[in-house]
Amino acid sequence: MDLKLLSIATLLGILCFCSAQQEGSDCIKANAQSCGECIQVAEKCGWCTDADFLKQGESKSARCDELKSLITKGCSKAKIENPRGSISIDKDKPVTNRKKDVAEKLKPDQITQIQPQKLSLNLRSGEAQTFKLKFKRAEDYPIDLYYLMDLSFSMKDDLENVKNLGTDLMREMQEITSDFKIGFGSFVEKTVMPYISTTPARLLNPCTSNENCTSPFSYKNVLKLTENGQQFNSLVSKQQISGNLDSPEGGFDAIMQVAVCGDAIGWRNVTRLLVFSTDAGFHFAGDGKLGGIVLPNDGKCHLENNMYTMSHYYDYPSIAHLVQKLSDNNIQTIFAVTEEFQPVYKELKNLIPKSAVGTLSSNSSNVIKLIIDSYNSLSSEVILENNKVPEGVSIKYKSICKNGVVGTGENGRKCSNISIGDEVSFDITIESQKCPSQGKSETIRIKPLGFNEDVEIVLNFICECECSKGGEPLSKICHNGNGTFECGACRCNEGRIGRLCECSTDEVRTDDLDGNCRKDNGTDICSNNGDCVCGTCECKKRENPEERYSGKFCDCDNFNCDRSNNKLCGGHGRCECRVCICDANYTGSACDCSLDTSTCLAANKQICNGRGTCECGVCKCTNPKFQGPTCEICPTCPGVCAEHKECVQCRAFETGEKKDTCQRDCSYFNLIRVKDRDKLPQPADQSYPLSHCKERDANDCWFYYTYAVRNDTMREVYVVETLECPAGPDIIPIVAGVVAGIVLIGLALLLIWKLLMIIHDRREFAKFEKEKMNAKWDTGENPIYKSAVTTVVNPKYEGK
């Protein structure tokens, strides 16, 4: 029993150890050959720098494991290399608390709306770093607004209302900011067929003969951004309508030039608004093929004398190209379009971040209100975006907006309903899954769309351990200088591999030498019973020369088979690869099961008395009633008396269940009848076993007999020939008693009834007498009585 408990405890220990190995297998399976490779596997992996850490047969990759596993294996904490990431804030200027009515005005570059402005992150693979970003809308922030207008013929009545836009808009914008500039530009279409008519007359005046229109053009910068509203009105008043042939306009060419020609437009580093006013659709990339223009738009400025000169050379820009340039230049777009084209431009708005669509009246009379409403809508929402991140780096956003509203996922990038002076924050998590190929620092920028400020984030990647700086190049430990000894292990030179750089890649065609020595991609090298030498297992030797390891992975031996009676394979077989090969007539895991059945024979020469199977020379009884070495003992089986009762009853008294088959089933004994029980044989008088029996038949009569077996073959039954039956009951007294009882009970019931009636009558009479004494008689006239005589008086009779 103690040996079994010990085996179970050993098995549980092995299972626990295997489970612990499995938990740390991610680090081990990575097969890291250096500390730098190890720390890039996962955030939980550490590297043991103890030179004596590895046991015989273990590879360098065993140094890379989870911290708990390394400590459990005997590596001290001081010897574990486990660098951690960190965050440092390099520029942290607080957000500006600016008031509009303050006399001293700040310049745009003195206003801060986002904090911090620059950070440095040290990133380790798999370890995320999180920092908080604050944003606050500054009051009285400068605004640049550029009004880009469609001057095709259908916009003739709109031009009249835009002519006074400068001073009116200046006055309205004073409520929002004291630093406001406005500019104006116009567009029509590319100056090639089939967009315009290229006949000389139509080039001079594309409109009908009675209309005075200016020559068609693609885009013209009429007025650079200025604070002078009167100048805006003056220049816009001089503008003339032009015309083209098709309905869509070349507005995308104009938007691209407004976005990229910063110097010509006069954009400042402030809030930039572009109002795009039209009553028609737009051409985009690919439409230029109709005019033979196939070169993609280059996204560069081509203004000469404030005119776009390459419309006939470059195709229209694509929507994606336009989105990129508007975002790069922090321009927020307001599409002021007529109701007819609202659906088209709303779809375009969904593709252009930080843009708005307003319904322009047929004559642009509501343009100022539209601009104010659209600006308020755009400025009340902040959306963060980042430039392209390095491969393997991911960014997650979490917003904490007004009233504690939290957003995650895509909603984590933005906050809505922000008023001037409101402060919101974002939790930004940056994680790297691997080191870049060059291992150099990378810079990314995060900025709110439509604003000129951004956050510069310098990413430094932890790709090597500190211990690698003290490495010993061409160390003798590394197979006579074939590697650098660093962090407790050899980092092999090019062309060398192995634990001590002892192998050449020309000889072995795999970098994972130890992988050739692991069975079924496990973690044990050569099953911990040998050393991996250049991809081949060399098995350990045993002190006993008769005991040996074998197999490709040293996973076989001839001494670890099951034992019986402290003998290997029970002494009845041989051990091959931890499995017993048994001799003839033996089987079982320890060859301890004999196939000989002679020990299972019962007295009747049957195996296990016909009531069991012989297993390993021992009977296993299949009938639970029987037990014993040969299944012959039956403690719960019926006795001799009960066994022979039916046969004795049928032969002696011709009754019982076997009376019809008595001749066939009950002729196996001699029956001898005696007068009474005194004549039955007694055990003391016999030299053979004798059983005295007393049994009862179906009529509750008892009969007595003896059963004896003489000379192992002759069976004798002595039976008393008379039955002892119980006497019957006396019927007459029983019947008389029942009748007398019924009569007496009836008389008693009558007497009780009579007594109850007498008592009831007496009570009723006494009640009547009492009421009679209390009665009062009235001798007056009966109120019910009415006379039978009716008297009639003649009203005319006067008694005369």
Side-chain angles (χ1 to χ4, degrees), residues 669-682:
F669 60 83
N670 293 329
L671 182 67
I672 304 169
R673 292 180 173 86
V674 296
K675 294 291 184 182
D676 52 40
R677 282 188 286 174
D678 296 336
K679 302 296 183 180
L680 291 174
Q682 301 299 318

Side-chain angles (χ1 to χ4, degrees), residues 747-762:
L747 291 173
L749 291 174
L750 286 172
L751 290 173
I752 292 171
W753 177 79
K754 184 62 178 175
L755 180 62
L756 292 175
M757 292 301 296
I758 291 171
I759 294 171
H760 179 264
D761 291 343
R762 288 182 177 180

Side-chain angles (χ1 to χ4, degrees), residues 143-148 162-171 173 179-185 221-233 235-236 265-268 271 273 275 367-368 371:
I143 298 175
D144 284 353
L145 186 146
Y146 191 85
Y147 196 92
L148 181 60
V162 175
K163 288 179 179 180
N164 296 321
L165 177 65
T167 54
D168 294 343
L169 189 58
M170 281 281 185
R171 183 172 58 256
M173 292 301 288
D179 189 354
F180 177 71
K181 287 189 176 185
I182 189 171
F184 184 82
N221 178 28
V222 178
L223 175 65
K224 187 176 181 180
L225 290 166
T226 178
E227 298 176 351
N228 191 340
Q230 289 293 343
Q231 185 183 7
F232 180 93
N233 294 348
L235 286 175
V236 173
I265 303 300
W267 290 120
R268 296 179 296 168
T271 298
L273 299 179
V275 179
V367 66
I368 293 179
I371 292 173

Side-chain angles (χ1 to χ4, degrees), residues 206-277:
C207 303
T208 57
S209 57
N210 59 346
E211 294 288 344
N212 186 21
C213 297
T214 188
S215 299
F217 57 91
S218 176
Y219 162 68
K220 177 168 58 176
N221 178 28
V222 178
L223 175 65
K224 187 176 181 180
L225 290 166
T226 178
E227 298 176 351
N228 191 340
Q230 289 293 343
Q231 185 183 7
F232 180 93
N233 294 348
S234 175
L235 286 175
V236 173
S237 299
K238 299 177 182 178
Q239 300 305 304
Q240 288 181 295
I241 293 295
S242 185
N244 61 315
L245 295 179
D246 61 339
S247 177
E249 316 294 0
F252 276 15
D253 273 342
I255 294 176
M256 177 63 75
Q257 293 303 302
V258 171
V260 298
C261 297
D263 292 338
I265 303 300
W267 290 120
R268 296 179 296 168
N269 206 12
V270 297
T271 298
R272 299 174 178 179
L273 299 179
L274 170 61
V275 179
F276 182 83
S277 175

Side-chain angles (χ1 to χ4, degrees), residues 101 103 180 319 386 390 556 649 668 716:
D101 53 358
F180 177 71
I319 296 176
N386 55 268
C556 292
Q649 188 178 0
Y668 58 88
E716 290 182 346

Side-chain angles (χ1 to χ4, degrees), residues 506-565:
D506 296 334
E507 300 170 359
V508 183
R509 294 185 179 181
T510 175
D511 293 335
D512 186 9
L513 294 178
D514 296 335
N516 296 329
C517 300
R518 294 190 184 99
K519 184 178 181 180
D520 299 329
N521 291 326
T523 58
D524 295 333
I525 296 176
C526 298
S527 306
N528 289 329
N529 297 322
D531 297 325
C532 187
V533 180
C534 293
T536 303
C537 285
E538 291 185 1
C539 299
K540 298 176 184 177
K541 304 296 183 183
R542 301 277 296 179
E543 293 182 2
N544 185 349
E546 297 295 326
E547 298 178 354
R548 61 186 179 275
Y549 293 106
S550 61
K552 179 181 178 181
F553 302 102
C554 301
D555 52 335
C556 292
D557 61 60
N558 64 348
F559 54 86
N560 269 327
C561 291
D562 292 341
R563 295 174 180 266
S564 179
N565 295 327

Side-chain angles (χ1 to χ4, degrees), residues 314-343:
Y314 289 116
D315 192 7
Y316 301 99
S318 66
I319 296 176
H321 196 183
L322 213 56
V323 169
Q324 177 192 349
K325 292 301 180 181
L326 289 172
S327 175
D328 290 346
N329 292 280
N330 303 315
I331 297 174
Q332 304 177 61
T333 310
I334 299 173
F335 294 104
V337 296
T338 55
E339 187 173 0
E340 178 186 357
F341 287 93
Q342 283 285 308

